[in-house]
């Protein structure tokens, strides 16, 4: 299906004829700086921060700089089509919104603003288990938009099954199971602020609203909120999980399953052997294993190992259209946008997220055309040069 291209650039220049400028910066570093100015310092640190020394967060960005696009000239890009279909979901442009928890710390409208913006921009959103808004409320805000659900697999199996059942009933079509966060990493910026929003009751809404979770409490959450949060900290992750546990997901989820946090070809092969439909090459934006490989550096070997068997998605470090082109040229079918949309949310709620999505899409489509690619299928490693 042919998708009309984004026209944000035209709109901005036309508005500029009457001296208007866009409401928010059009590049991600400008967005980050603007967001820093409007967020509380500890909320900004929570979003921008990373594990340990921040080495992997920096490496994610640097990995992109090492790959250079080699544009091709005189190819027909007069009627490009950058649409695709990924795990049964139609993508007008090859990106989705990454699962990001506790969005209420960025803006009071939190996940609901993101859900509305995602629908308006026809970009699928992936709702986090650690959301500050319940699964069903986000689904209502997303309406007939496309949505996936991200599971933090809790140690209480009744809660896991209940979360999956609720997501399925609320119209989430794909489950993303995050494997890299069975426990929280050492995060100095949050530690220095003494700040973990979950302990303040932000980001636990999917648990507090869950019948399976509530059944495990000795007294109701509204009578003993501290007890409920303590219970949440006890069941959040399961450090005993292994590949042998994956069949549990199939029993409780009937759509496609994607495993998030894969960085090695060996794990990618295990995922394919386990029969899941997709994987997401990701290091959680450098927020978990400090010193981990830059996510883009992990992508080629994973694609080589399982690209023919699994849908390979990618995140960690996407900051502009060129980054999307590079990840796709290295074999990702689509990418997830993380921090950039959170900065948009902080700046302008729904309108801020919408701005970021339109800007990214326009930047991506222009870069594709200028590089000489008329479709996603045109892209391949021959569009890239790896600098030494
Ligand atoms: C503030 C914040 C919260 C996040 N929360 C989650 C989450 O709840 N579940 C999850 O799977 N990933 C979570 N992530 C990771 C993102 O899904 C994604 O992997 C990461 O943001 C990609 O890195 P980038 O933002 O630097 O591009 C979070 C990331 C950030 C920045």
């Amino acid at each position: 299906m042919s998708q009309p291209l984004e026209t944000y650039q035209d709109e901005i220049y036309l508005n500029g004829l009457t001296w208007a400028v866009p409401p928010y910066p059009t590049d991600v570093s400008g967005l980050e700086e603007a967001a820093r100015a409007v967020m509380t310092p500890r909320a900004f640190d929570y979003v921008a921060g990373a594990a340990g020394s921040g080495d992997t967060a920096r490496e994610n960005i640097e990995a992109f700089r090492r790959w250079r696009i080699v544009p091709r000239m005189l190819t027909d890009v007069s009627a490009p089509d950058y649409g695709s279909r990924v795990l049964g979901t139609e993508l007008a442009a090859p990106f989705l919104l990454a699962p990001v928890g506790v969005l209420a710390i960025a803006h009071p409208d939190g996940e609901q603003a993101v859900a509305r913006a995602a629908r308006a921009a026809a970009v699928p959103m992936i709702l986090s288990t650690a959301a500050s808004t319940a699964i069903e409320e986000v689904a209502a805000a997303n309406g007939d938009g496309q949505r996936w659900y991200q599971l933090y697999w809790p140690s209480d199996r009744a809660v896991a099954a209940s979360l999956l059942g609720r997501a399925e009933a609320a119209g989430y079509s794909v489950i993303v199971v995050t494997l890299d966060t069975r426990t929280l990493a050492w995060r100095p910026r949050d530690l220095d602020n003494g700040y973990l929003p979950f302990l303040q009751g932000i980001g636990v809404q999917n648990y507090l609203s869950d019948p399976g979770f509530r059944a495990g409490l000795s007294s109701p959450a509204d009578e003993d909120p501290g007890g409920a949060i303590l219970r949440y900290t006890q069941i959040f992750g399961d450090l005993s999980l292994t590949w042998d546990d994956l069949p549990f997901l199939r029993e409780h989820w009937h759509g496609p399953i994607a495993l998030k946090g894969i960085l090695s070809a060996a794990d990618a092969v295990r995922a394919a052997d386990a029969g899941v439909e997709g994987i997401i090459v990701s290091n959680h934006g450098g927020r978990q294993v400090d010193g981990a490989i830059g996510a883009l550096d992990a992508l080629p070997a994973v694609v080589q190992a399982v690209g023919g068997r699994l849908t390979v998605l990618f995140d960690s470090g996407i900051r502009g259209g060129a980054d999307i082109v590079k990840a796709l040229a290295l074999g990702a079918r689509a990418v997830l946008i993380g921090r950039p949309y959170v900065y948009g949310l902080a700046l302008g709620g729904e309108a801020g997220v919408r701005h970021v999505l339109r800007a990214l899409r326009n930047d991506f489509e222009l870069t594709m055309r200028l590089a000489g690619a008329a479709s996603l299928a045109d892209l391949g490693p021959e569009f890239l040069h790896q600098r030494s």
Side-chain angles (χ1 to χ4, degrees):
M1 84 257 81
S2 186
Q3 297 285 344
L5 297 178
E6 173 58 59
T7 56
Y8 201 25
Q9 184 195 51
D10 300 342
E11 211 175 281
I12 290 171
Y13 285 137
L14 280 174
N15 289 336
L17 292 174
T18 52
W19 308 107
V21 295
Y24 317 104
T26 52
D27 77 300
V28 172
S29 48
L31 284 168
E32 179 175 345
E33 284 317 303
R36 183 201 294 270
V38 300
M39 294 173 78
T40 64
R42 58 190 195 168
F44 179 78
D45 281 343
Y46 184 79
V47 174
S53 67
D55 182 42
T56 293
R58 284 187 296 277
E59 181 72 354
N60 283 340
I61 305 296
E62 279 162 25
F64 277 95
R65 305 289 81 76
R66 288 193 287 270
W67 289 98
R68 317 303 308 179
I69 297 169
V70 185
R72 301 301 306 274
M73 300 299 123
L74 293 178
T75 64
D76 181 357
V77 289
S78 60
D81 183 356
Y82 302 129
S84 62
R85 193 176 168 84
V86 168
L87 300 178
T89 296
E90 299 293 341
L91 301 183
F95 60 83
L96 303 89
L97 293 180
V100 171
V102 290
L103 288 174
I105 67 170
H107 191 278
D109 298 344
E111 290 81 9
Q112 283 162 307
V114 173
R116 286 193 293 267
R119 178 181 173 276
V123 175
M125 79 176 287
I126 309 175
L127 177 69
S128 166
T129 293
S132 36
T133 315
I135 292 171
E136 295 79 8
E137 288 170 52
V138 178
N142 190 234
D144 61 1
Q146 303 187 92
R147 50 189 174 270
W148 298 5
Y149 181 72
Q150 176 263 327
L151 181 72
Y152 277 135
W153 190 330
S155 58
D156 183 331
R157 287 290 167 96
V159 177
S162 176
L163 289 169
L164 292 174
R166 288 170 63 195
E168 204 158 80
Y172 296 77
S173 64
V174 174
I175 185 90
V176 168
V177 184
T178 299
L179 304 180
D180 57 22
T181 310
R182 293 186 297 170
T183 189
L184 211 60
W186 182 255
R187 295 182 182 168
R189 285 168 76 170
D190 298 333
L191 291 162
D192 290 349
N193 291 328
Y195 182 56
L196 192 61
F198 310 101
L199 299 188
Q200 300 174 0
I202 311 169
V204 295
Q205 277 57 31
N206 279 326
Y207 301 88
L208 299 183
S209 59
D210 192 79
F213 179 79
R214 289 206 295 250
L217 296 175
S218 43
S219 45
D222 44 356
E223 281 171 30
D224 180 14
I229 288 173
L230 177 64
R231 172 83 183 139
Y232 153 78
T233 62
Q234 290 162 345
I235 65 144
F236 169 77
D238 184 348
L239 286 161
S240 73
L241 281 177
T242 71
W243 293 95
D244 294 336
D245 291 303
L246 291 181
F248 170 86
L249 297 173
R250 274 283 173 240
E251 280 168 40
H252 296 277
W253 184 261
H254 306 99
I257 298 173
L259 302 180
K260 177 169 183 274
I262 300 289
L263 290 168
S264 78
D267 278 354
V269 169
R270 292 205 76 159
D273 291 345
V276 300
E277 285 77 14
I279 54 173
I280 302 171
V281 173
S282 164
N283 57 31
H284 213 107
R287 298 165 72 80
Q288 287 299 99
V289 177
D290 188 32
I293 182 171
L296 193 71
D297 288 333
L299 183 60
V302 168
V303 168
Q304 194 183 13
V306 300
R309 298 170 69 192
L310 287 181
T311 297
V312 178
L313 306 179
F314 172 89
D315 77 32
S316 296
I318 299 284
R319 296 294 180 268
D323 297 337
I324 302 176
V325 172
K326 291 175 187 180
L328 263 56
L330 290 176
R333 293 279 310 284
V335 303
L336 276 48
I337 309 302
R339 290 180 176 93
Y341 85 82
V342 185
Y343 298 137
L345 176 68
L347 286 167
E350 178 185 346
V353 177
R354 189 87 204 283
H355 162 85
V356 171
L357 297 180
R358 294 192 71 191
L360 258 178
R361 181 170 170 192
N362 213 152
D363 181 12
F364 164 74
E365 290 173 348
L366 286 167
T367 308
M368 286 288 279
R369 280 179 123 172
L370 291 168
S375 74
L376 304 186
D378 282 355
L379 279 182
E382 67 281 4
F383 272 82
L384 298 182
H385 165 78
Q386 192 173 22
R387 96 172 174 214
S388 49

